[in-house]
Amino acid sequence: MSGPSLFHHSATTPPEISARFADIHPPLEPQAAFLEANRCLYCFDAPCASACPTHIDVPRFIKKIASGNLPGSARTILDANILGASCARACPVEVLCEGACVMHHQAAAPIQIGRLQRFAMDALHASGAGLPFKAGADAGSSVALVGGGPASLSCAAELRRRGIGAEIYDARPLPGGLNTYGVAEYKLPLAESLREIDMLAQLGVVFHYDVLVDATMLAELGRGYDAVFVGTGLGAVRRLGLQGDALDGIIDALAFIAAYKSGYILTVPSRVAVVGGGNTAIDAAIAAVRLGALDVTVLYRRGAEQMSAFSFEYEHALREGVKFRWNVQPVRIHGRERLQSVELVELASNKDGFLMPVERSEFMLDLDLLIFAIGQTAHTGLFNANYLNRVATEDGRILVNRATGQTSLPNVFAGGDCINGGREVVDAVADGKRAAIGIAAWLEGTRVHD
């Protein structure tokens, strides 16, 4: 199996997939939403709003739900976070807004902020009202945005609200980045991601699909537009470099998620293993269970306490029937044309704290499908052209002024995973909005000095 060829150019999730990937957090009924909203204390100095990277005024939008003003609630959300609908579903609220809720200090359950946010946004979509604001007056400038993920979408929306032209170039046939291609269907369905794209089009954001921007084209964009925003995310999922890792029956986690969301993969074989310890590994493992695998195991080279996956994601995986093997690492892949088994070795820390193979600890694990989820590479190739070699990078990440998103090349700005190395959707949204404000200020400054 390989990546790009797996994805059908479909804008809808097949019914078979939708049936197996029901919402992990079902929507609130109106009465339940009203009661939950009235539990909120509407804190003046709300820690939940501070914990949100986009600083949504949480008490304000919840109070509007309590008073029956659902359009006003949605506007409060969208003013801060144009992707408020997808973030309501995909955000790890347990460690962000809900994790900061003052109810924890009263030994009470936190307010269900994520589900209330979804309730307000679903009501807006159901009403057919569209975005509650319009593009600003034409400012006479335009920005090219490279990559169609959350950072670029957020940046483009904020630019349009300020009257600045925004054109997004994306290599995929559908926009949305990881929201469309990489977030588990039970968290964020494909249709929900694309519905937000339609709303951005109402602001006049222009989308160019199936356009792979290389270093040469990026330089051309830099000359043809007043500014460029780079929101390319990260690159290919890493492999361990083992002989046989191109056999049929081996795939990376993001390609796997994209393939089942598109309907290319409707079932998986019985024995599946996922290599990795992050949230994407958990998503892939749960998906394998829901697609019919009988034995799904996550293989991680450290212990449970070192996993980068959130604890609630790990607990969810256990409830779904996923098994875990700790302190192991693949060393050989066996099979001819197709994967048959993987050879693993146990690992232990030496006196200096480095992981080392345990002598004579090798063992075999028979498999039908092996999924790699061990992080992604960076898009450093974009910055090899002479025009862009002044863009400073470090360890594959683009260095920016964190307040403005500006790189070391004045007309180039960046945000999202390409500067963070891989964080949450809401962090990318915050980056994009900050960069748009930075771009607008920089463009105004250049006009003043012309």
Side-chain angles (χ1 to χ4, degrees), residues 279-354:
N279 295 314
T280 301
I282 298 290
D283 285 349
I286 292 172
V289 171
R290 295 194 177 196
L291 291 169
L294 301 177
D295 188 345
V296 179
T297 305
V298 171
L299 309 171
Y300 184 52
R301 63 195 182 101
R302 299 186 185 275
E305 62 281 358
Q306 281 87 41
M307 283 179 62
S308 60
F310 296 124
S311 59
F312 61 87
E313 297 277 18
Y314 168 57
E315 291 162 4
H316 176 204
L318 291 176
R319 290 194 299 272
E320 295 267 355
V322 176
K323 296 184 292 187
F324 290 80
R325 282 192 179 234
W326 310 112
N327 304 302
V328 296
Q329 179 173 298
V331 290
R332 291 181 186 83
I333 295 171
H334 298 274
R336 293 190 176 181
E337 295 183 358
R338 182 169 182 81
L339 168 73
Q340 293 179 337
S341 62
V342 61
E343 186 174 344
L344 301 162
V345 65
E346 294 180 6
L347 301 176
S349 298
N350 63 15
K351 62 180 181 179
D352 297 317
F354 294 106

Side-chain angles (χ1 to χ4, degrees), residues 40 42-44 46 48-49 56-64:
C40 184
Y42 314 124
C43 304
F44 174 74
C48 53
I56 293 173
D57 190 339
V58 176
R60 182 179 176 84
F61 95 71
I62 292 179
K63 193 167 188 177
K64 288 181 181 295

Side-chain angles (χ1 to χ4, degrees), residues 44-186:
F44 174 74
D45 188 15
C48 53
S50 298
C52 172
T54 59
H55 303 303
I56 293 173
D57 190 339
V58 176
R60 182 179 176 84
F61 95 71
I62 292 179
K63 193 167 188 177
K64 288 181 181 295
I65 292 175
S67 66
N69 182 4
L70 296 185
S73 179
R75 172 149 196 156
T76 299
I77 295 164
L78 290 168
D79 272 337
N81 182 343
I82 194 66
L83 300 187
S86 58
C87 285
R89 294 168 176 264
C91 269
V93 293
E94 294 88 342
V95 297
L96 294 174
C97 54
E98 292 181 19
C101 180
V102 297
M103 290 295 190
H104 288 291
H105 302 305
Q106 302 181 24
I111 304 301
Q112 297 180 68
I113 299 170
R115 296 179 76 189
L116 287 172
Q117 182 170 317
R118 175 181 170 180
F119 178 78
M121 294 307 303
D122 283 352
L124 177 71
H125 290 314
S127 73
L131 283 175
F133 39 73
K134 297 179 180 179
D138 187 4
S141 53
S142 61
V143 176
L145 301 98
V146 183
S152 289
L153 297 174
S154 173
C155 184
E158 189 66 26
L159 290 171
R160 292 301 301 132
R161 293 185 72 178
R162 294 163 182 270
I164 300 170
E167 298 194 29
I168 293 178
Y169 293 82
D170 195 86
R172 301 269 204 168
L174 295 173
L178 288 182
N179 275 13
T180 297
Y181 290 89
V183 178
E185 184 75 7
Y186 57 78

Side-chain angles (χ1 to χ4, degrees), residues 190-221:
L190 175 63
E192 296 299 324
S193 174
L194 296 180
R195 185 157 62 178
E196 288 186 312
I197 305 301
D198 291 338
M199 294 181 73
L200 287 179
Q202 296 172 23
L203 283 176
V205 177
V206 177
F207 293 88
H208 302 275
Y209 309 133
D210 285 314
V211 179
L212 179 61
V213 176
D214 58 14
T216 300
M217 184 176 179
L218 189 54
E220 293 173 359
L221 295 177

Side-chain angles (χ1 to χ4, degrees), residues 10-23 185 189-191 259-267 290-291:
S10 171
T12 58
T13 302
E16 303 97 309
I17 297 299
S18 296
R20 296 181 189 180
F21 288 83
D23 283 340
E185 184 75 7
L190 175 63
Y260 84 71
K261 291 187 77 166
S262 73
Y264 187 88
I265 291 177
L266 296 177
T267 61
R290 295 194 177 196
L291 291 169

